[in-house]
Amino acid sequence: MIVPIPVSIETKMNRGFNQVIGLLGDIEYVDALMVKEKRKVRQSELNRQQRIHNKQVFTINPKHVSEIIDQKILLVDDIYTTGTTIRHAANVLRANGAKQVVGLTLCR
């Protein structure tokens, strides 16, 4: 199961799209599996240490909870800086029954 890292509602409204989904092109993925809560400060405004300690909150969309159980999931993100985003998202997926979660970022 391929899952793009979600952007916050505010980011999606400002940009009009999730850049990770745009980069996936024609690859089949599960949309809206996870929801990202609004942050007070954008990751791009933080230094490395602040990013590592910045709590990111992901939740599972209730309509997709049963789809996660015993699945192998590939999380896809656009940029890897500290790995914090993928780690937080992977922890939420594992806590909700994912069998295995691995991450792929498109650039570092």
Side-chain angles (χ1 to χ4, degrees), residues 2-6 20 24 74-78 86 102-106:
I2 298 174
V3 176
I5 291 287
V20 176
L24 287 173
L74 174 65
L75 275 173
V76 183
D77 201 2
D78 57 348
I86 292 231
V102 295
L104 171 69
T105 53
L106 303 170

Side-chain angles (χ1 to χ4, degrees), residues 52-66:
I52 290 170
H53 298 292
N54 185 31
K55 183 173 179 166
Q56 297 182 48
V57 180
F58 295 97
T59 56
I60 303 299
N61 182 334
K63 77 177 196 176
H64 291 292
V65 171
S66 64

Side-chain angles (χ1 to χ4, degrees), residues 6-107:
V7 295
S8 68
I9 293 169
E10 294 77 17
T11 299
K12 193 164 185 176
M13 286 175 52
N14 287 337
R15 284 190 191 144
F17 65 97
N18 176 340
Q19 68 279 8
V20 176
I21 291 173
L23 294 168
L24 287 173
D26 293 333
I27 296 171
E28 188 176 325
Y29 61 89
V30 179
D31 192 21
L33 179 90
M34 301 179 77
V35 178
K36 186 175 194 176
E37 292 184 12
K38 181 181 179 181
R39 283 186 256 160
K40 293 178 183 171
V41 180
R42 299 179 72 178
Q43 287 282 90
S44 60
E45 297 172 9
L46 304 175
N47 66 36
R48 180 174 177 75
Q49 284 302 312
Q50 291 169 322
R51 286 178 188 214
I52 290 170
H53 298 292
N54 185 31
K55 183 173 179 166
Q56 297 182 48
V57 180
F58 295 97
T59 56
I60 303 299
N61 182 334
K63 77 177 196 176
H64 291 292
V65 171
S66 64
E67 296 174 34
I68 297 169
I69 297 170
D70 291 327
Q71 289 293 317
K72 292 181 179 179
I73 297 174
L74 174 65
L75 275 173
V76 183
D77 201 2
D78 57 348
I79 300 172
Y80 180 100
T81 305
T82 62
T84 302
T85 300
I86 292 231
R87 276 194 302 279
H88 282 281
N91 288 339
V92 169
L93 290 166
R94 282 190 211 101
N96 282 276
K99 181 177 185 176
Q100 180 183 17
V101 182
V102 295
L104 171 69
T105 53
L106 303 170
C107 62

